[in-house]
Amino acid sequence: MTILETHHLRKIYGAGETEVRALDGVDLSVEKGEFVAVVGTSGSGKSTLLHMLGGLDHPTSGTVTVDGRDLFSLKDEALTIFRRRKIGFVFQSYNLVPVLNVRENIVLPIQLDGGKPDESYVGEIIETLGLGSKLQNLPGNLSGGQQQRVAIARALVSKPAIILADEPTGNLDSVTSQDVMGLLKVTSEKFTQTIVMITHNEEIAQMADRIVRIEDGRIFPSGGTPGTVCAIPSPERNTPQSSSRDTRG
Ligand SMILES: Nc1ncnc2c1ncn2[C@@H]1O[C@H](COP(=O)(O)OP(=O)(O)OP(=O)(O)O)[C@@H](O)[C@H]1O
Ligand SMILES: [Mg+2]
């Protein structure tokens, strides 16, 4: 099942001499449960793509469909609600609320939405991410890796259709980065959670089910020919289990 799809996505900043084609016709399709890494050099358009996928910024043209909904057909308020329920974000800088403890940070998205946390699911997430002994700590008393694990738990808690992560290991040392990546991979498999992650670290990207490369605002599959703008997965990638094996390399 396709959970995320873009069609001829373009984002142009400026005009005339200063025009930048940050995204230049991106067609991308991601299946439910897939863990996709987007790699590319600085300025290639990675963050711009992620912002469009998350409905944080409007494209110049083209569409983004998440869980069957065309994001930019929604009015601002409806888009805000849709984003809160369906899209989880993980940023390089964690973005935890400093005055709330770990547990409060994790369940915050549910509370903001006026809902009640599914306690057994929250417990499962906390256990999977190894945060059980830190629930009363404030973020300031945690290591970077622990803070990022809290941010991942917070992104998972509302069972979003997709999690978007922009350089989630960018502030972490290489050992902690591997830990956090391992946990992202485990959560993707265990909760059939779709994740699209940006990184410029090739080693980190290798841990994903699939690598999509972006260059000058255009994407092509890993190992594909530059200029191929389509990264539609092959049918066998429909099952996340098989995709984690046949697309590495
Ligand atoms: N608000 C903006 N106004 C004008 N140009 C922008 C804006 N945001 C991004 N750009 C340009 O769009 C291009 C893509 O930027 P983007 O931030 O998506 O790159 P990136 O791949 O995330 O880079 P990095 O790895 O350095 O984070 C760059 O040339 C950048 O200068
Ligand atoms: Mg960026």
Side-chain angles (χ1 to χ4, degrees):
M1 174 199 167
T2 301
I3 196 89
L4 168 68
E5 200 161 27
T6 73
H7 184 67
H8 293 336
L9 199 62
R10 294 171 82 226
K11 179 68 176 181
I12 298 173
Y13 292 111
E17 296 261 298
T18 61
E19 179 180 293
V20 177
R21 287 170 181 261
L23 294 180
D24 195 10
V26 169
D27 292 300
L28 176 68
S29 175
V30 177
E31 298 297 307
K32 181 167 169 56
E34 252 196 311
F35 183 8
V36 176
V38 177
V39 299
T41 54
S42 182
S44 56
K46 304 183 295 296
S47 293
T48 304
L49 176 62
L50 207 82
H51 290 160
M52 304 294 142
L53 299 183
L56 294 172
D57 194 7
H58 283 250
T60 304
S61 60
T63 58
V64 175
T65 308
V66 175
D67 205 12
R69 194 61 75 92
D70 176 354
L71 288 191
F72 301 108
S73 71
L74 296 171
K75 294 219 167 72
D76 281 354
E77 199 182 335
L79 177 58
T80 302
I81 293 168
F82 184 83
R83 197 165 48 217
R84 198 155 65 211
R85 293 185 181 159
K86 295 286 189 176
I87 305 174
F89 293 94
V90 176
F91 296 104
Q92 182 172 348
S93 50
Y94 324 128
N95 292 9
L96 302 175
V97 180
V99 296
L100 298 182
N101 69 30
V102 165
R103 193 176 197 294
E104 292 162 341
N105 264 284
I106 292 172
V107 298
L108 186 62
I110 305 267
Q111 288 178 337
L112 287 175
D113 204 34
K116 272 210 154 125
D118 171 346
E119 288 301 339
S120 82
Y121 189 62
V122 172
E124 216 181 327
I125 291 170
I126 287 168
E127 194 200 319
T128 305
L129 291 166
L131 290 167
S133 65
K134 301 289 177 191
L135 294 179
Q136 305 306 321
N137 285 49
L138 293 175
N141 301 329
L142 300 176
S143 69
Q146 288 165 344
Q147 289 186 62
Q148 195 58 301
R149 284 192 263 147
V150 177
I152 293 167
R154 181 185 56 184
L156 282 165
V157 78
S158 44
K159 302 181 184 171
I162 53 170
I163 287 182
L164 302 174
D166 194 348
E167 299 274 4
T169 62
N171 282 340
L172 305 175
D173 62 69
S174 62
V175 172
T176 312
S177 294
Q178 294 285 339
D179 282 353
V180 166
M181 275 302 296
L183 287 168
L184 273 175
K185 197 169 171 61
V186 165
T187 55
S188 163
E189 284 170 2
K190 188 166 174 181
F191 305 117
T192 325
Q193 178 64 61
T194 312
I195 301 176
V196 177
M197 174 192 71
I198 281 176
T199 181
H200 58 245
N201 183 325
E202 289 282 340
E203 209 180 317
I204 290 290
Q206 293 298 331
M207 291 177 77
D209 296 334
R210 173 158 66 109
I211 298 177
V212 168
R213 293 182 189 280
I214 182 163
E215 228 174 76
D216 295 331
R218 304 176 73 201
I219 65 166
F220 47 96
S222 187
T225 320
T228 309
V229 293
C230 198
I232 307 287
S234 58
E236 69 269 23
R237 287 186 188 132
N238 288 348
T239 51
Q241 287 79 8
S242 67
S243 61
S244 62
R245 283 179 202 104
D246 62 13
T247 57
R248 300 249 218 122

